[in-house]
Amino acid sequence: MPSLYEKIEESAHYLSDRIPLVAKTAVVLGTGLGDFVDSISNKIEIAYDDIPYFVVSTVQSHSGKFIFGYKSGVPIIVMAGRLHYYEGYSTAEITFPIRVLKALGVENIIMTNASGGINAHFTEGDIVIVTDHINLMPDNPLRGKNDERLGPRFPDMLHAYDESLIKKFHSIGEKINIKLQYGVYLGLQGPSLETPAEYRMAHILGADLVGMSTIPEVIVAKHSGMKVCVFSIVSNVCFPKSALTETTLEEVIMVVNRSSGKLMEILDHYFEFLKD
Ligand code: HPA
């Protein structure tokens, strides 16, 4: 049985044999944000199913492929479609692609997701930069034997959300007049949405957002020494209870689509900045 390290190396070699570029920046696209790939030139797409040791996304709203190309002339790798714990995989399995990104030379990862808004000042469609998280998922991707070649046994989480990236995006938001919110993301396993009492619990615990993804990827990115910035689009208001309505995936996608243009503009400016 190959070790995790050997599996990562094999997957990374499979990809680097097929792609002519080295990217320092990767973008992980969450629900409803697939349009981002339209702005990428010289695209090479590789489906997760074709990559050794990858598990495939079972969620219809996530397409499941890597896209290699250039954004404003800057080499980029996009993960179109992420994997979730609720699909039945362990968090170590769903974060394997993040390890492969690191092995390919990625240093900065921008992740996006949709979430429920717990902060009473947030409204549907708000774009929130995640500044911290509360991990209430029942699994940690670093559980088990640690391979020091991949990162330390006890990675510190004080700076899991990179302050220099947050500052950069804050200044982009101000410059192009797009309002950004800031908040703490609480992760639960899903896939059922939360009850009113659970949303209230999230509020009491100090969360501004609640969702079912991203935290395992952030932990692994931090473990492997990458810088992370997470954007979350509030797809449904979850607090106070009087603001709750029934939520469907279609509504989540519709709300995210309405704000995705603004998030794309922010990312466009970031890649223009990287180009210079
Ligand atoms: N809860 C959990 N995850 C979510 C939600 C929610 O209300 N909305 C979008 N993702």
Side-chain angles (χ1 to χ4, degrees), residues 6-55:
E6 287 160 347
K7 287 181 185 171
I8 295 164
E9 291 287 294
E10 192 180 329
S11 297
H13 281 137
Y14 176 89
L15 292 167
S16 57
D17 283 349
R18 285 162 180 77
I19 49 165
L21 60 88
V22 175
K24 288 192 178 153
T25 305
V27 174
V28 180
L29 297 177
T31 308
L33 290 157
D35 287 352
F36 180 71
V37 299
D38 296 342
S39 65
I40 295 174
S41 58
N42 295 57
K43 280 191 279 251
I44 297 176
E45 301 189 356
I46 300 184
Y48 297 158
D49 325 28
D50 294 334
I51 308 170
Y53 306 114
F54 268 54
V55 292

Side-chain angles (χ1 to χ4, degrees), residues 3 8 12 35 40 52-53 86 114 116 122 131 141 143 159 215 243-244 262 272:
S3 66
I8 295 164
D35 287 352
I40 295 174
Y53 306 114
Y86 62 71
F122 289 179
T131 54
R143 182 170 172 269
H159 301 292
I215 290 180
L244 274 175
K262 283 187 187 161
E272 285 291 328

Side-chain angles (χ1 to χ4, degrees), residues 114-116 193-194 199 210-212 235-236 238:
S115 61
L193 296 188
E194 292 67 35
Y199 285 132
V210 64
M212 308 170 191
S235 59
N236 48 304
C238 307

Side-chain angles (χ1 to χ4, degrees), residues 162-198:
D162 186 73
E163 277 114 29
S164 59
L165 285 173
I166 292 176
K167 256 194 197 154
K168 182 68 213 165
F169 283 114
H170 174 79
S171 66
I172 290 173
E174 288 207 319
K175 189 172 154 203
I176 61 174
N177 211 13
I178 290 181
K179 185 180 163 200
L180 292 170
Q181 304 273 27
Y182 300 85
V184 174
Y185 178 100
L186 182 143
L188 292 165
Q189 66 171 307
S192 49
L193 296 188
E194 292 67 35
T195 62
E198 287 166 339

